Amino acid sequence: MENRKALVVDDEFHIVQVVAIKLKNNGFDVVTAENGSDGYDLASETLPDIIISDYQMPIMSGVEMIEKLRQNPETAHIPVIMLTARGFAIEDEQKEQLRVSACLSKPFSPREVLATIEDVLKQDAAV
Amino acid sequence: MKTEQKIWIALAAAGCVGALVAMIAVATSMPTGIPIVAALIICASIIGNLVVLFKHADRLQKIASALSVGSQVRMTAAYPPDSLLKEIGTASQRFMDETNEKVKTLQNENTDISLQLQLTQRRKNSIEAILNSIRDAVMVTDDRDRIILANAAAETLFGFEFDPLQPLVTEEAVSSDELVAAISKCRTSKTAHVRHELTFEKDEQPITYDTVLSCVEDDKGNVLQVVAVLHDITREKEISQMKNDFVSHVSHELKTPLASINAYAEMLVDGEAEDAETVQQFCGVIQGQAQRLSRLIEDILNISRIESGLVKVSKKTHSLALVIRDSVEMITSYAQEKSITVHSPASILYDQVTIDRDMISQVVINLLSNAVKYTPANGEITVRTDLNEIEGQITVMITDTGVGIPAEDVDHVFDKFYRVKANNKYAKGTGLGLNLVKQIVETVHGGSVFVTSTTGEGSTFGFVLPLLKETATQTV
């Protein structure tokens, strides 16, 4: 069975690294980007099963990246989990509009990230 | 009756008779001798009457007074004239006494009223002085929606001139429909005390007022007046917003390293580090992030201490060139890691400044450290000083050949928590370093900071400090 693919986007290197290691250790192929612009390019190129993205990033923010992803028919369906240091940075309305599957606020637990990814992928598969 | 009185009465009576006879004589053309006699008699009687009148003038006056005011004097023939006059005199005296008493009472009351008027006038002046010295706008409207009292702050706020003799209509004088409606609602609802937050435009700037409206009622509960007090809370709201932003920024900045510490510690606990090298790497991340957290907290506390004036400053006379030289030495190894060359300034004479050496060292190190962070490998950093003895100041400039700062960001780089987004990828930071530089130079040392930059070419950060007025020869 082919490994599931995950894209981790965060300008904080240590966050990207820890999430990537957790996912790799649990059977994911992981690609990483340090801003929204690079994240969109990688998503378009690799078409991951799931994207884990930071909210605030230089060059292009997480929200801007998701908006762009939703406009692209090839990436519009990819579920996104958002990591943020601000617990209420995304309003429910915006979350729904962008079809953000889940939000996790920092400091987060890698276990929690993995569990959330599994839940989202299950729901996505069920649909 | 005394003889004297009888004589005079007789003379008077004779006069009257003589007058009567004279008139008859004239009427019947009697011989001329008789009228002469009659005329004499008339003169005598007139003189007698006049004497009587003068002698008893006071009594007659009293009688007249008594009669004119309807005093209870019985004018009967049974009373002898003396008794009558005596009674009239007593009544008149009593009347005069009573009148005098009443006059005195009235005079006292008049004095009291005058005093009360003076007191009321003083209170009015005092209230007006208090009202006009209050920064809050105070306005009183009556039951016809007219402004019957307004202080200077209210006049300035709404741009009207208050004249108590020509009360203005609230709706015409007050530009805020919201306030007019609130006053009207307060009156009709008879609410004793209501609070509104109203925002007006003043000089094209929104100003927010905490507005308190109170009703003044009569005994029957009818609303006579509405008192409006408007307190400007614009600055308070700004401070509150700044505080919220600060807490939000601090929270964000603290959570980022904390997230790494938490995540890597959990990975270690869960055995996700497969080998000793990975364990070592995870521990290194935790340590590094803990140090970052510590620096962040230290920066926040330093800025907070400087802003609140609680920082302990130890100013002494130092040579700024020597402070710069020591700071450059400290940063050299970091610069060498990126193959960046740092050019120190040539030593200058008489660069004595009164500074807190540790603080100014921190300023120079922060600026040098930033220059290294945002300068690509093999770049150059030049530190220069410019002494202006005429202006009595020394300027320190740190120029790099780094990535530069976009024009829209240049004016904000010294702001608290401001990060140049475009340059985030080159280095991590708290967004507090340059603000700390600004606080130390400007707040603690009375100097100024500046920056110029061109994207892709580099930046020059610097600061200006006042020179010691009497150039000291001692160098610490």
Side-chain angles (χ1 to χ4, degrees), chain B residues 61-96:
Chain B
Q61 189 183 7
K62 286 176 187 175
I63 292 165
S65 300
L67 288 171
S68 70
V69 296
S71 185
Q72 297 296 312
V73 181
R74 284 186 295 167
M75 302 287 284
T76 61
Y79 279 83
D82 263 359
S83 301
L84 174 65
L85 288 173
K86 195 176 178 182
E87 189 161 331
I88 289 169
T90 308
S92 300
Q93 189 60 46
R94 198 188 311 130
F95 173 75
M96 289 299 285

Side-chain angles (χ1 to χ4, degrees), chain B residues 385-403:
Chain B
T385 52
D386 179 29
L387 185 70
N388 186 335
E389 286 185 272
I390 297 167
E391 295 287 332
Q393 60 189 29
I394 187 164
T395 306
V396 179
M397 290 159 283
I398 296 168
T399 305
D400 61 55
T401 54
V403 293

Side-chain angles (χ1 to χ4, degrees), chain A residues 40 43-45 47-48 51 68-79:
Chain A
Y40 173 77
S44 306
E45 190 185 318
L47 298 176
I51 297 170
K68 213 173 166 188
L69 287 169
R70 297 297 177 236
Q71 286 166 10
N72 181 346
E74 287 192 335
T75 57
H77 67 283
I78 301 173

Side-chain angles (χ1 to χ4, degrees), chain B residues 3 26 34-35 42 55 78-79 81 223 230 232 236 242 245 286 298 303 308 312 320 325 335 384 392 398 410 412:
Chain B
T3 312
V26 170
I34 293 171
I42 288 167
K55 192 170 175 66
Y79 279 83
V223 178
L230 296 96
D232 186 348
E236 289 168 37
M242 281 165 68
D245 289 347
I286 291 170
E298 193 60 32
I303 290 172
S308 59
K312 195 177 173 184
L320 196 57
R325 188 197 65 192
R384 288 177 291 133
I398 296 168
V410 170
H412 301 286

Side-chain angles (χ1 to χ4, degrees), chain B residues 76-300:
Chain B
T76 61
Y79 279 83
D82 263 359
S83 301
L84 174 65
L85 288 173
K86 195 176 178 182
E87 189 161 331
I88 289 169
T90 308
S92 300
Q93 189 60 46
R94 198 188 311 130
F95 173 75
M96 289 299 285
D97 290 345
E98 284 172 4
T99 306
N100 284 338
E101 195 64 34
K102 282 178 183 172
V103 167
K104 275 183 187 174
T105 308
L106 282 171
Q107 280 174 341
N108 288 339
E109 284 176 3
N110 188 37
T111 308
D112 285 348
I113 289 167
S114 295
L115 286 171
Q116 281 179 9
L117 269 173
Q118 281 179 17
L119 198 62
T120 307
Q121 187 62 40
R122 276 186 206 166
R123 282 180 184 157
K124 183 175 171 275
N125 293 343
S126 175
I127 288 167
E128 278 179 2
I130 291 167
L131 274 178
N132 285 323
S133 63
I134 294 174
R135 287 184 185 175
D136 293 351
V138 182
M139 201 170 68
V140 183
T141 57
D142 65 6
D143 55 349
R144 290 163 62 189
D145 251 337
R146 296 177 312 170
I147 299 168
I148 55 165
L149 184 67
N151 68 351
E155 288 179 314
T156 309
L157 172 61
F158 296 112
F160 63 70
E161 202 168 319
F162 173 66
D163 179 359
L165 301 175
Q166 291 179 321
L168 297 163
V169 177
T170 313
E171 199 173 353
E172 291 169 5
V174 175
S175 53
S176 166
D177 293 342
E178 212 176 341
L179 177 60
V180 174
I183 291 171
S184 182
K185 191 178 174 187
C186 180
R187 183 183 299 107
T188 50
S189 63
K190 295 185 180 181
T191 317
H193 187 91
V194 283
R195 219 178 181 98
H196 293 271
E197 197 174 290
L198 303 175
T199 302
F200 307 144
E201 286 281 331
K202 194 179 174 189
D203 301 330
E204 296 181 0
Q205 293 292 321
I207 303 176
T208 309
Y209 287 90
D210 179 25
T211 310
V212 177
L213 299 172
S214 309
C215 289
V216 179
E217 295 179 351
D218 64 9
D219 297 342
K220 293 172 184 173
N222 299 316
V223 178
L224 300 174
Q225 295 163 356
V226 176
V227 182
V229 181
L230 296 96
H231 176 64
D232 186 348
I233 55 166
T234 313
R235 184 69 188 142
E236 289 168 37
K237 281 184 82 72
E238 281 173 5
I239 290 169
S240 176
Q241 186 58 46
M242 281 165 68
K243 199 173 77 181
N244 289 341
D245 289 347
F246 179 77
V247 170
S248 176
H249 277 297
V250 169
S251 150
H252 178 262
E253 295 301 328
L254 292 177
K255 276 180 176 179
T256 302
L258 206 57
S260 292
I261 292 169
N262 189 57
Y264 281 89
E266 188 188 292
M267 294 286 275
L268 286 171
V269 170
D270 288 356
E272 300 275 4
E274 291 168 342
D275 49 44
E277 194 184 339
T278 313
V279 170
Q280 189 70 21
Q281 189 202 347
F282 285 9
C283 290
V285 171
I286 291 170
Q287 193 181 22
Q289 293 299 305
Q291 284 168 353
R292 178 181 167 183
L293 203 56
S294 175
R295 277 199 307 275
L296 183 68
I297 291 167
E298 193 60 32
D299 280 354
I300 292 168

Side-chain angles (χ1 to χ4, degrees), chain A residues 11-19 21-23 25-26 34-35 54 56-59 84-87 105-112 114, chain B residues 248-249 251-252 255-260 262-264 266-267 269-274 278 281-282 285 289 292 420-425 428:
Chain A
D11 60 328
E12 195 69 29
F13 169 75
H14 299 301
I15 298 292
V16 172
Q17 188 185 47
V18 78
V19 174
I21 292 171
K22 185 73 183 178
L23 294 182
N25 289 350
N26 288 274
E34 62 178 18
N35 61 61
D54 188 20
Q56 273 190 312
M57 286 181 290
I59 301 171
T84 173
R86 298 168 193 244
S105 57
K106 294 176 183 176
F108 60 86
S109 148
R111 284 180 222 139
E112 191 187 1
L114 182 64
Chain B
S248 176
H249 277 297
S251 150
H252 178 262
K255 276 180 176 179
T256 302
L258 206 57
S260 292
N262 189 57
Y264 281 89
E266 188 188 292
M267 294 286 275
V269 170
D270 288 356
E272 300 275 4
E274 291 168 342
T278 313
Q281 189 202 347
F282 285 9
V285 171
Q289 293 299 305
R292 178 181 167 183
V420 178
K421 283 187 178 178
N423 295 347
N424 256 5
K425 59 185 170 189
K428 298 296 171 193

Side-chain angles (χ1 to χ4, degrees), chain A residues 29-82:
Chain A
D29 285 337
V30 183
V31 284
T32 62
E34 62 178 18
N35 61 61
S37 179
D38 292 349
Y40 173 77
D41 291 343
L42 266 178
S44 306
E45 190 185 318
T46 61
L47 298 176
D49 298 298
I50 193 157
I51 297 170
I52 301 99
S53 173
D54 188 20
Y55 176 76
Q56 273 190 312
M57 286 181 290
I59 301 171
M60 185 185 283
S61 74
V63 170
E64 288 167 333
M65 182 191 75
I66 300 167
E67 282 172 344
K68 213 173 166 188
L69 287 169
R70 297 297 177 236
Q71 286 166 10
N72 181 346
E74 287 192 335
T75 57
H77 67 283
I78 301 173
V80 178
I81 293 170
M82 189 151 264

